[in-house]
Amino acid sequence: SHASFTMPTPEEWFNRLPPVTRIYLVGAVLTTICCTFKVISVYSLILDFQLVFYKFQIWRLVTCFFYFGPFKLSFLFQMLILSRYFDALETGDYDPSRPGKTAEMITFVLFGAITMLIIALLWSYLALGAPIFILGPSMSFMAMYVWSRKDPMRQVVFWSFTIKSWHLPFVMLGMAILMNSNPILDVIGILVGHLWCYLKEIVPNVYNIDLIWTPQWLYYAVDGPQQPRNYMPRSGGYRLNG
């Protein structure tokens, strides 16, 4: 009954988080704490393709996803988006209690990261605007967009307004513009999220082609060799809607 409902403690909430969401959240918070207390320099983490290519500072391709900006209100807002929508996506579509699903969630993150890095590289090469130094907000926005497309007509409450879930990323984007923050990271998240939905949902159903699949070695790495017999359909993937 509603009367017996109790709010989980922070520890209970954290322990309920699925594995990929938990690792990403902890990594982002620890990165920001280390930068705040000057344990790590922000400039050693941000994306700089000159340093990646000419100084071989390859780690920047990863660390730029874990630094979300200085420890202030906007950072807490980003952590809220990350924890809420990564959690909703991972517990919904990539339920870690089902074999293979955590590997598929990692595939989702890798697809997003690689695509965003390519966009950032093109952005830098073509000098389209101010350099893109961090991509964490784009990743959390991608998760929100993909979640919003799963049940696009679902009613969600946003600051006491009721909207359809597919409106949510665009409402958040509008808010970012109104608050004078640079919307480019949010736009990248929406674009990459849309590309994922198109390649993962539309292309297999309309053209009968799987362009995105989780490699077998990743299933082995996450779950070990004990797998159900029906793991490998025609193109080496494992369809989400199966």
Side-chain angles (χ1 to χ4, degrees):
S1 71
H2 289 292
S4 63
F5 177 78
T6 55
M7 286 287 287
T9 64
E11 184 182 6
E12 288 170 341
W13 169 81
F14 179 77
N15 289 334
R16 284 180 197 169
L17 288 175
V20 176
T21 303
R22 189 187 309 166
I23 289 167
Y24 195 8
L25 185 66
V26 168
V29 171
L30 284 180
T31 300
T32 301
I33 289 171
C34 288
C35 290
T36 303
F37 290 103
K38 304 285 193 295
V39 178
I40 303 172
S41 165
V42 171
Y43 300 105
S44 67
L45 303 176
I46 59 176
L47 189 59
D48 184 328
F49 286 109
Q50 295 285 332
L51 294 174
V52 170
F53 291 133
Y54 297 112
K55 300 286 187 183
F56 301 105
Q57 296 184 3
I58 308 295
W59 67 82
R60 292 177 183 274
L61 301 176
V62 176
T63 55
C64 68
F65 287 96
F66 285 91
Y67 182 67
F68 281 75
F71 193 80
K72 54 183 185 180
L73 193 60
S74 58
F75 169 78
L76 297 175
F77 190 57
Q78 287 289 346
M79 290 302 96
L80 184 66
I81 295 175
L82 171 65
S83 60
R84 180 164 187 180
Y85 297 106
F86 253 78
D87 181 17
L89 200 59
E90 191 173 359
T91 50
D93 272 20
Y94 303 101
D95 182 355
S97 66
R98 295 173 59 195
K101 288 299 176 184
T102 295
E104 290 175 8
M105 181 69 185
I106 294 170
T107 300
F108 167 81
V109 173
L110 289 175
F111 172 87
I114 292 166
T115 310
M116 288 168 195
L117 287 168
I118 291 169
I119 291 172
L121 179 60
L122 290 172
W123 183 273
S124 170
Y125 181 73
L126 299 172
L128 296 174
I132 294 170
F133 292 123
I134 60 173
L135 285 167
S138 300
M139 183 68 77
S140 55
F141 231 81
M142 176 193 177
M144 185 207 299
Y145 181 87
V146 172
W147 172 84
S148 77
R149 304 300 299 180
K150 293 296 173 188
D151 185 3
M153 295 303 162
R154 168 178 32 201
Q155 302 283 313
V156 295
V157 177
F158 180 76
W159 281 14
S160 76
F161 293 99
T162 302
I163 58 174
K164 292 183 172 63
S165 71
W166 75 268
H167 292 151
L168 184 63
F170 302 100
V171 171
M172 299 281 258
L173 177 62
M175 275 192 60
I177 294 168
L178 287 173
M179 291 165 67
N180 249 357
S181 79
N182 185 355
I184 187 61
L185 296 179
D186 301 348
V187 171
I188 290 172
I190 289 174
L191 289 175
V192 178
H194 188 74
L195 182 63
W196 169 269
C197 292
Y198 179 75
L199 295 177
K200 196 70 184 168
E201 307 292 339
I202 309 294
V203 170
N205 290 325
V206 175
Y207 303 103
N208 206 32
I209 303 168
D210 281 323
L211 292 177
I212 301 174
W213 64 89
T214 301
Q216 190 68 15
W217 64 263
L218 190 52
Y219 285 127
Y220 283 162
V222 175
D223 290 303
Q226 302 82 24
Q227 296 177 0
R229 290 176 182 270
N230 62 351
Y231 244 55
M232 297 289 289
R234 50 196 159 70
S235 66
Y238 181 30
R239 289 279 287 280
L240 285 178
N241 48 5

